[in-house]
Structures are given as structure tokens and as C-alpha cells.
Amino acid sequence: QVQLVESGGDSVQTGGSLTLSCAASGSTYGIYCMTWFRQAPGKEREGVAIIYTGSGGTAYTDSVKGRFTISRDKAKNTLYLQMNSLKPEDTAMYYCAATKFSSGGSWLNPGRYNYWGQGTQVTVSS
């Protein structure tokens, strides 16, 4: 099993920055990719950014491109999400997710991931 624990959520004003962290522990060997999702009240969970642990390749959903950066510290087994130029529409609970499988469809599909953290709240006020 893999345990994921997010931290770093906070309340900030529009234009502010935050860095989220996701500490992974347990049987982390073989994780194929790690992804940040977010879910706002009344909305579906949406993929924000992914990093592939082997290649280090990344991808972002269009609404955060140029503002968010996903990264990973292998030695610390920690995933990060640097968020700049935050907007009110970024307000959501942010989750990190991981899978050891390379197949399963789009990285944006929450069903692809079998390990999830408990979430950390980000609130952006105007």
C-alpha cells in the first residue's frame, strides 16, 4: 500500500502563491505517475497536473498552464505543486493521487488512480 499525505493548503488573495506538498510512504516502489486533482463544491474532481516518475515528463490542464508547476523530490518521496497567480476559480480541495499502472486511459480520469491522499484546502479570495 501507498500512503499519501497532502499539506500546504491555505487561504490567499487573488494573485498570491502557494506550494502544496504530498508526502508518499509505504510501498512506493513502482509508482508510474503522480497527479494533482482538485474538487470545488458541487463540481467534479478534475486533473490539474501530472508527473511521470520515470521520465519526469509533466502535463497540465489548460486552466493552470503557465501558473502551476508540478515537481517531485525523489529522495524525500514528496510531490509538489507550486501555484502562482492564483485566481478565485482555483479555490478547491486539492488531492494527490498515484498509480503503479501505465495503462488506464487519460491521466485526467480519477478512476485511473488507486492511491489518494485526504486533501488540502486552497481558498483564493478576490
Side-chain angles (χ1 to χ4, degrees), residues 14-34:
T14 297
S17 297
L18 279 176
T19 299
L20 305 183
S21 300
C22 172
S25 62
S27 181
T28 59
Y29 179 80
I31 289 178
Y32 176 71
C33 60
M34 298 184 75

Side-chain angles (χ1 to χ4, degrees), residues 52-65:
Y52 295 92
T53 58
S55 66
T58 59
Y60 300 86
T61 193
D62 286 346
S63 62
V64 308
K65 284 181 181 176

